Amino acid sequence: MSESILKDENFFYGEIGELLKQSRIVAYKAVNTIMVQTYWQIGKRIVEQEQHGQYRANYGDYLITNLSRYLSDTIGKGFSEANLWNIRQFYLVFPDFDQFSTHCVANLTWTNIRMIMRLENKAEREYYIKEASEQNWSSRLLERHIRTGYYRRLLSTQQREIPVSRSEKYSPADFIKDPFITEFLDLPEDMKGKESVLETALINNLQKFLLELGKGFSFVDRQMRISTETSHFYIDLVFYNYLLKCFVIIDLKTSKLTHSDIGQMDMYVRMFDALKRIEGDNPSIGIILCAEKDETIVKYSILKESKRLFASKYKTILPTEDELAEMISREKQKLKD
C-alpha cells in the first residue's frame, strides 16, 4: 500500500472518529437539556401536589417517600428521596424556567444546578448560571469558585452589580478580585522576600492561575524585559485579555504594599504602552499582587482614582467562610469611603 493511500485512509478514520465524538457531545447536551427540563416539571408537580394536601400533617415527607418508592420500582435508579427533595428545591428556587435558555441548560449539568441553587443570593446564582454555562465550567471548577467566593471577591472591587450582559462593555474592574485565592500553590502564608519562589509556583500552576484570573486571559511571558536607551526593566508576569483587548502586567510583592511599588507599577504600565502596545489594543492594566496592603497609601495614591492600576492581596491558604466574608466586607467599605 502506497504512503499516499495510507495517509488518505488515516485521514478518513480520523474524520469518522471526529464525527462520532461531535455527535455524542450533541446527543449528551440534548439529553441533559431534556432531563433538566423534566426535573423542573417534576418539581413543579410535587409542589402543586403538596399544596393540595396541606391539611395533612407531614404530607410533604409522605409524598416524597412514596413517590421515591414508586419511581424506583417503575423507572429505576436516580429517584432517591434526597434527589426528589433537590428536584423540588430546583422548582422553588427557579419558579420561572424561562430564565434558562436552551443554550444555558445544555451546558449546565444537574450537579452544577444543585450547587448553584443552594446559594442564597439571587444575583450570585444568576452570575454562576451565566458563567458556568458560557465558560462550560466543570463541577469541580464551579465548586472551587463558589467555595472561594469568586463572585463576592469580584463584587468587592466594583461599584455596580455583576454579571455584565453581552451588550455591555467589560471594564477592567470586572476582572480584578481582592483577594486572589492561590491555595493551589501549596505555599506558606509568609513568603516575604521570596518573589521568585512565588513567580515560579504560579508558572508551574499556570492553568489553575489562569482559571483564578478569570475569563479571557492568556499567558504571554515572564520576566519580560522593557528597555529604554539607558536602562532595562523586568516585568514579573505578562498576560493578554482578549475581552478587554489589552495587556495585563503583574508585579509580585511578597510584603506589604508601599508607595514605591505603586510608582514602579505606574511607570511599568506607561513604558509598556509606549514600547509594546500595538495599534488596536486598549491601554494596559497593571496589577500589584501583594501580601498585604497599606490602606492609607492606597487611599492617597493614584490607585484610588486610576481605572488601570490595581493592588490586590493574594492568599496562599484558603480562608474560612467567615474570614472571606470579613475581607470582602472590608473591601466593599473601602470603596464607599
Side-chain angles (χ1 to χ4, degrees), residues 5 11 95 109 121 215 225 270 286 307:
I5 293 176
F11 177 80
T109 66
N121 184 277
K215 58 189 176 184
R225 189 176 77 177
R270 293 173 188 271
K307 296 182 179 180

Side-chain angles (χ1 to χ4, degrees), residues 1-61:
M1 184 180 295
S2 69
E3 185 176 345
S4 61
I5 293 176
L6 186 60
K7 285 183 177 179
D8 181 67
E9 286 191 357
N10 287 336
F11 177 80
F12 169 73
Y13 299 147
E15 187 178 21
I16 297 301
E18 188 61 30
L19 284 172
L20 287 171
K21 288 178 183 177
Q22 292 302 317
S23 68
R24 286 175 179 175
I25 291 172
V26 172
Y28 170 78
K29 289 185 175 182
V31 169
N32 184 70
T33 299
I34 293 171
M35 184 192 75
V36 170
Q37 290 174 336
T38 302
Y39 279 2
W40 185 88
Q41 291 169 340
I42 292 172
K44 182 173 184 290
R45 286 294 296 117
I46 289 173
V47 171
E48 290 172 345
Q49 189 67 23
E50 282 180 336
Q51 291 171 347
H52 292 158
Q54 281 182 347
Y55 60 90
R56 295 172 57 180
N58 300 321
Y59 184 65
D61 292 339

Side-chain angles (χ1 to χ4, degrees), residues 98-114:
D98 290 340
Q99 66 184 291
F100 289 92
S101 66
T102 301
H103 171 73
C104 173
V105 173
N107 289 328
L108 275 180
T109 66
W110 176 235
T111 302
N112 283 358
I113 291 174
R114 288 205 315 268

Side-chain angles (χ1 to χ4, degrees), residues 11-268:
F11 177 80
F12 169 73
Y13 299 147
E15 187 178 21
I16 297 301
E18 188 61 30
L19 284 172
L20 287 171
K21 288 178 183 177
Q22 292 302 317
S23 68
R24 286 175 179 175
I25 291 172
V26 172
Y28 170 78
K29 289 185 175 182
V31 169
N32 184 70
T33 299
I34 293 171
M35 184 192 75
V36 170
Q37 290 174 336
T38 302
Y39 279 2
W40 185 88
Q41 291 169 340
I42 292 172
K44 182 173 184 290
R45 286 294 296 117
I46 289 173
V47 171
E48 290 172 345
Q49 189 67 23
E50 282 180 336
Q51 291 171 347
H52 292 158
Q54 281 182 347
Y55 60 90
R56 295 172 57 180
N58 300 321
Y59 184 65
D61 292 339
Y62 163 85
L63 189 67
I64 292 292
T65 298
N66 284 281
L67 178 61
S68 175
R69 290 172 181 169
Y70 172 79
L71 293 177
S72 297
D73 290 342
T74 58
I75 305 297
K77 295 180 180 179
F79 296 99
S80 65
E81 291 184 42
N83 201 32
L84 288 177
W85 282 114
N86 283 327
I87 291 171
R88 173 184 178 275
Q89 186 68 14
F90 178 35
Y91 169 75
L92 290 174
V93 174
F94 303 108
D96 181 10
F97 192 76
D98 290 340
Q99 66 184 291
F100 289 92
S101 66
T102 301
H103 171 73
C104 173
V105 173
N107 289 328
L108 275 180
T109 66
W110 176 235
T111 302
N112 283 358
I113 291 174
R114 288 205 315 268
M115 283 190 278
I116 293 171
M117 73 185 188
R118 287 176 169 78
L119 298 171
E120 295 183 3
N121 184 277
K122 181 181 178 182
E124 188 173 4
R125 291 197 300 265
E126 290 175 349
Y127 171 80
Y128 284 119
I129 287 172
K130 173 180 177 293
E131 293 301 310
S133 60
E134 288 185 0
Q135 304 299 314
N136 204 21
W137 285 351
S138 67
S139 298
R140 180 177 295 181
L141 181 57
L142 173 61
E143 182 181 22
R144 181 192 180 272
H145 284 338
I146 292 175
R147 184 163 46 91
T148 61
Y150 192 96
Y151 167 83
R152 287 174 289 159
R153 287 186 285 130
L154 275 176
L155 193 63
S156 72
T157 65
Q158 302 175 41
Q159 297 286 3
R160 63 172 177 158
E161 285 284 320
I162 48 181
V164 178
S165 68
R166 292 186 180 184
S167 61
E168 287 184 83
K169 289 185 177 180
Y170 289 101
S171 72
D174 295 321
F175 297 82
I176 308 301
K177 307 178 191 70
D178 197 8
F180 281 87
I181 306 297
T182 58
E183 87 291 351
F184 50 83
L185 299 179
D186 195 25
L187 292 174
E189 283 191 281
D190 185 5
M191 293 290 296
K192 191 173 182 178
K194 299 179 180 178
E195 280 85 1
S196 62
V197 175
L198 177 60
E199 178 187 322
T200 299
L202 288 171
I203 293 298
N204 290 341
N205 293 272
L206 186 57
Q207 183 178 17
K208 292 179 179 178
F209 186 48
L210 284 169
L211 292 173
E212 172 64 9
L213 284 173
K215 58 189 176 184
F217 281 90
S218 58
F219 177 65
V220 177
D221 202 357
R222 67 185 293 192
Q223 292 299 313
M224 177 183 280
R225 189 176 77 177
I226 50 176
S227 302
T228 64
E229 293 83 353
T230 59
S231 303
H232 300 301
F233 301 91
Y234 295 87
I235 299 174
D236 291 336
L237 299 171
V238 180
F239 296 86
Y240 190 86
N241 189 288
Y242 68 85
L243 295 174
L244 294 171
K245 293 182 172 57
C246 72
F247 285 98
V248 180
I249 64 178
I250 295 180
D251 196 25
L252 302 174
K253 300 297 179 184
T254 55
S255 55
K256 183 181 286 188
L257 180 72
T258 67
H259 64 86
S260 61
D261 296 332
I262 299 169
Q264 177 179 269
M265 176 56 82
D266 183 40
M267 181 188 71
Y268 281 173

